[in-house]
């Protein structure tokens, strides 16, 4: 690993002081084929008071991917099968766990496999190089996301959240609201409120989940707590209270349209930039699956040049046209929870004929 900035020792010392790392000697670091297994680390600014530490553990290359716990969480586009009356409003409730990964203490034996590049611990005989070893599940470590989702599932069970009203890949989608779901450190709920209806269920459900988080040593992030609010996002999708449509917010779609036009006006583009642009369009398409058919040339092309992430390329004509068409259809990238069900079923193959 290469030191990108001289502040790396300061980052390590702050993590040690916070209890996230402990310092190890060289013989306490795991080796593979005679070479030390190290973990790169850098910090990303969250706000003026906090940083988020991201890691790149080499041990990920040695893990059996078939044995890793994989997170399984709510898939928002599956809400298309939910039916909501056209009147009233859809409100959102949310809870967020603060410093979730920092609360997931890992077993002592993992410590030697999750050591970062060394720092100088001081002068004299007691000094020398010391390697920061993770004490909690680091972001970027293979099993971390699965462990975090597992704890959230346990908390939901402890809080007795109704499983038949849950949005989850392994459960049939509920017919209507209220409905709840979770993803890693977030739990959310949707309610349909109308005159004469009973109070929304989401706030009471999530209040119980928050209590169960606290019982397991997890601190809720009260700044992100929402109780039956209108016009909120869930897992990156905006839920319109009166229109009952779900999709990327209009503001984000406007920004994506502007960004697309700026990139298409350039003669050459950095591969990483157009790769990110295609990914943004792909996420937007998830709210209107038929739009995915636009990218017939874009996906194979970006896969063929992705290994040159820092290089500049000319966008092929067919890919240019597909990005332009996707931008023009950006207003259709949403679905309605109150659309009437079609009474006709059409079956066809995928051929052009």
């Amino acid at each position: 690993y290469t030191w990108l900035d001289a502040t790396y020792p300061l980052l390590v010392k702050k993590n040690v002081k916070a209890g996230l790392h402990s310092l190890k000697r060289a013989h306490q670091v795991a080796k593979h084929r005679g070479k030390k297994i190290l973990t790169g680390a850098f910090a990303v600014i969250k706000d003026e008071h906090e940083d988020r530490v991201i890691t790149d553990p080499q041990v990920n290359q040695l893990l059996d991917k078939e044995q890793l716990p994989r997170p399984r969480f709510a898939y928002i586009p599956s809400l298309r099968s939910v039916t909501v009356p056209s009147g009233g409003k859809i409100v959102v409730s949310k809870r967020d766990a603060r410093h979730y990964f920092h609360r997931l203490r890992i077993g002592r034996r993992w410590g030697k496999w999750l050591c970062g590049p060394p720092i100088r611990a001081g002068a004299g005989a007691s000094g020398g190089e010391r390697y920061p070893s993770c004490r909690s599940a680091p972001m970027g470590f293979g099993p971390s996301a699965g462990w975090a989702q597992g704890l959230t599932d346990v908390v939901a069970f402890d809080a007795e959240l109704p499983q038949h009203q849950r949005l989850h890949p392994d459960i049939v989608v509920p017919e209507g609201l209220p409905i709840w779901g979770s993803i890693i450190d977030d739990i959310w709920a949707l309610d349909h409120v109308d005159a004469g209806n009973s109070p929304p269920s989401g706030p009471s459900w999530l209040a119980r989940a928050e209590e169960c988080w606290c019982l397991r040593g997890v601190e809720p992030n009260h700044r992100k707590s929402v109780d039956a609010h209108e016009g909120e996002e869930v897992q990156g999708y905006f839920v319109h209270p009166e229109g009952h449509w779900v999709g990327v917010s209009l503001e984000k779609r406007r920004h994506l349209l502007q960004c697309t036009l700026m990139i298409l006006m350039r003669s050459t583009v950095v591969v990483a930039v157009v790769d990110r642009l295609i990914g943004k369009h792909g996420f937007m398409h998830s709210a209107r699956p038929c739009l995915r058919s636009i990218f017939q040339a874009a996906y194979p092309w970006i896969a063929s040049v992705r290994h040159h992430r820092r290089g500049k390329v000319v966008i092929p004509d067919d890919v240019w046209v597909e990005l332009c068409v996707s931008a023009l259809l950006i207003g259709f990238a949403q679905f309605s929870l109150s659309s009437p069900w079609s009474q006709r079923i059409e079956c066809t193959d995928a051929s052009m004929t």
Side-chain angles (χ1 to χ4, degrees), residues 75 77 80 237 245-248 253 281-294 326 329-336 339:
Y75 182 56
R80 291 194 305 271
Y237 297 85
W245 59 261
V246 179
V248 176
R253 278 188 264 178
H281 277 266
F283 180 77
M284 180 191 67
H285 293 168
S286 66
R288 196 66 171 256
C290 59
L291 295 179
R292 291 173 174 158
S293 62
I294 298 172
S326 180
L329 297 178
I330 208 167
F332 295 97
Q334 61 191 51
F335 62 91
S336 174
S339 294

Side-chain angles (χ1 to χ4, degrees), residues 269-273 305-313:
V269 184
V270 176
V271 172
V273 172
V305 299
R306 188 171 282 136
H307 57 287
H308 297 302
R309 292 191 61 78
R310 298 182 181 179
K312 288 190 174 183
V313 294

Side-chain angles (χ1 to χ4, degrees), residues 95 155-156 158-162 201-215:
R95 291 295 186 277
V155 166
D158 291 345
E160 299 182 346
L161 301 188
S201 302
S204 60
W205 286 354
L206 301 193
R208 297 202 305 266
E210 185 176 309
E211 292 177 2
C212 292
W213 254 337
C214 293
L215 292 175

